[in-house]
Amino acid sequence: MPSRPEGFTTALAYSGDARTQAAEALYQHNIARTGIDDRAAIGAELRDTSGKVWGGLWGRTELGLLFLDMFFLPEQLRGRSFGSQLLGAIEEEAIRRGCKKAVVETSSFQAPLFYMRHGFEEFGKVEFAIPGHARIFLRKDLL
C-alpha cells in the first residue's frame, strides 16, 4: 500500500470554492502547455417579449472547440424550431471565434436525435445502470 504524505488526508467532499480553485489551476496548466488562453463562455437564450428566459443553450469555446454543456427548452416549446435557432446562433458565434469542431454529451432519453439531425455524429456511448439507456457523446465539424 502506498504511503500517504504527512499532513494530508483524503475525504469525500464537494466544495464549490475548492472546485473553482482546482478548475483555475488546471486551466493555467493548460495555458502553460499550449500557450493558448482562449476559454470563453458562450450561450444563447430564448426569451419572451417580457424578457423572461424560457430556455437556452450554454457552453464554452476553447482550443478551437465548441463544448456544449447544457441545452434546455420546456416541453411546450419543443418542435417549433427554437432549438435549431439557438444551436445555429451558438455555432455561428463559435465559428467566428475560430472553432472548427463541436462536442456534446447527452443522454439517450434527452436529445441525441436533435443533434444528429443537425450534423452531429456519435463517437462514444456509456451504458447507464438503467437498461436501454446511455450517455451519448457526439461531435460535429463546424467548417
Side-chain angles (χ1 to χ4, degrees):
M1 180 173 231
S3 64
R4 197 175 352 198
E6 290 296 316
F8 290 92
T9 61
T10 302
L12 289 176
Y14 188 100
S15 162
D17 289 341
R19 187 182 190 289
T20 298
Q21 290 172 8
E24 181 57 30
L26 179 58
Y27 184 57
Q28 291 306 315
H29 171 80
N30 294 350
I31 294 168
R33 290 292 195 156
T34 65
I36 301 171
D37 179 6
D38 69 344
R39 180 184 293 171
I42 193 168
E45 297 170 345
L46 180 64
R47 296 174 183 262
D48 65 18
T49 55
S50 74
K52 176 184 174 185
V53 176
W54 285 82
L57 174 57
W58 300 272
R60 71 183 188 282
T61 57
E62 183 177 4
L63 300 172
L65 293 175
L66 166 61
F67 295 92
L68 300 174
D69 297 326
M70 189 172 71
F71 197 172
F72 176 75
L73 285 174
E75 194 74 38
Q76 72 267 28
L77 297 178
R78 295 177 192 166
R80 296 170 57 187
S81 82
F82 295 126
S84 297
Q85 292 171 29
L86 291 165
L87 181 59
I90 291 285
E91 288 180 347
E92 184 177 306
E93 175 60 15
I95 291 167
R96 190 190 68 71
R97 293 181 187 185
C99 293
K100 295 182 177 26
K101 296 182 183 288
V103 178
V104 66
E105 60 180 277
T106 188
S107 296
S108 56
F109 51 81
Q110 290 176 331
L113 295 177
F114 169 84
Y115 291 110
M116 289 176 189
R117 282 195 307 271
H118 288 86
F120 284 79
E121 62 180 21
E122 182 181 318
F123 70 91
K125 182 185 286 189
V126 178
E127 301 294 327
F128 286 138
I130 304 164
H133 291 289
R135 195 70 170 157
I136 300 172
F137 300 84
L138 302 116
R139 65 178 166 225
K140 177 181 181 179
D141 290 332
L142 296 176
L143 298 177

